[in-house]
Amino acid sequence: NAGVTQTPKFQVLKTGQSMTLQCAQDMNHEYMSWYRQDPGMGLRLIHYSVGAGITDQGEVPNGYNVSRSTTEDFPLRLLSAAPSQTSVYFCASSYSGAYYYNEQFFGPGTRLTVL
Amino acid sequence: AQSVTQLDSQVPVFEEAPVELRCNYSSSVSVYLFWYVQYPNQGLQLLLKYLSGSTLVKGINGFEAEFNKSQTSFHLRKPSVHISDTAEYFCAVSEHWEEGAQKLVFGQGTRLTINP
């Protein structure tokens, strides 16, 4: 199993550009989520999905879109990049979000810089 | 909403010394608590978790944590650290966010540096 994979590892954007961060998992997990990590703030939930075709907002969703057309993939789109979106982005998955004692498995992260 | 406070942002220790990383949470209901470790340039990896039962939880790499309900704490300990333990450590509490959804509420992280 590759686990949770993310591409790209690094990305530099100019303000106003758009891009998609890719996330895939091969563990047949129902639940997938995106977090952003900023210094001194831990990780914060951006969007999540409880299954294919179902997505919803987390605590910091503004400026981001997601879709979940398959169980395996959960891409995160930045519509118009802003310097405030400079961060490290982590994708995570677990068997089910309904059972909130489930361990979440994290990808290696994407380091995004917006100039 | 729940919150997690990690009391130390940085902890430097010498190799083979004991270490304790402190974590306090705010919650009036049953909680599920986690410690994750992030090695340099890697994603987060589960170290250990408390769901119920024994308050002393053992994890990977010789770490353990003690759940203290009265003090709302979940401190992480290791009796003798190694250079390879250098990493950032995150305490987290699991919160029911919306229907079918789980949210991990993370502390700010503690950077553990092991000096030879």
Side-chain angles (χ1 to χ4, degrees), chain B residues 3 8 15 21 27 30 33 36 43 45-46 54-55 58 60 63-64 106:
Chain B
S3 66
D8 306 291
E15 195 172 14
L21 306 184
S27 175
S30 297
L33 293 158
Y36 281 85
Q45 176 184 354
L46 182 68
S54 173
T55 57
K58 293 191 182 298
I60 62 171
F63 283 93
E64 62 182 31
F106 286 88

Side-chain angles (χ1 to χ4, degrees), chain A residues 5-112:
Chain A
T5 57
Q6 291 183 238
T7 55
K9 285 194 171 182
F10 303 94
Q11 184 70 49
V12 179
L13 292 178
K14 294 181 179 178
T15 297
Q17 287 185 315
S18 62
M19 79 158 295
T20 299
L21 280 62
Q22 301 292 344
C23 173
Q25 53 90 9
D26 61 358
M27 297 174 282
N28 203 30
H29 285 170
E30 298 173 357
Y31 185 79
M32 297 185 74
S33 55
W34 277 100
Y35 291 86
R36 60 176 289 173
Q37 181 184 28
D38 300 294
M41 300 184 72
L43 282 75
R44 292 178 292 167
L45 182 67
I46 305 172
H47 283 287
Y48 66 91
S49 168
V50 299
I54 307 169
T55 64
D56 211 337
Q57 296 181 351
E59 57 183 325
V60 288
N62 292 340
Y64 308 96
N65 270 357
V66 291
S67 60
R68 183 100 179 264
S69 56
T70 67
T71 300
E72 294 78 19
D73 301 299
F74 190 45
L76 177 73
R77 280 184 291 277
L78 278 70
L79 309 173
S80 177
S84 60
Q85 294 179 303
T86 293
S87 187
V88 182
Y89 292 84
F90 289 100
C91 180
S93 71
S94 68
Y95 283 105
S96 172
Y99 302 102
Y100 50 113
Y101 49 77
N102 282 339
E103 172 188 355
Q104 292 201 30
F105 294 81
F106 286 81
T110 294
R111 187 175 296 273
L112 175 69

Side-chain angles (χ1 to χ4, degrees), chain B residues 33-82:
Chain B
L33 293 158
F34 303 80
W35 275 99
Y36 281 85
V37 59
Q38 183 180 28
Y39 298 106
N41 300 313
Q42 294 186 28
L44 279 71
Q45 176 184 354
L46 182 68
L47 206 53
L48 50 78
K49 61 183 177 183
Y50 172 78
L51 305 181
S52 64
S54 173
T55 57
L56 185 63
V57 181
K58 293 191 182 298
I60 62 171
N61 301 338
F63 283 93
E64 62 182 31
E66 184 159 17
F67 170 63
N68 188 319
K69 187 175 182 178
S70 62
Q71 297 188 7
T72 61
S73 69
F74 190 53
H75 300 335
L76 181 71
R77 302 185 183 103
K78 186 169 182 178
S80 177
V81 294
H82 190 266

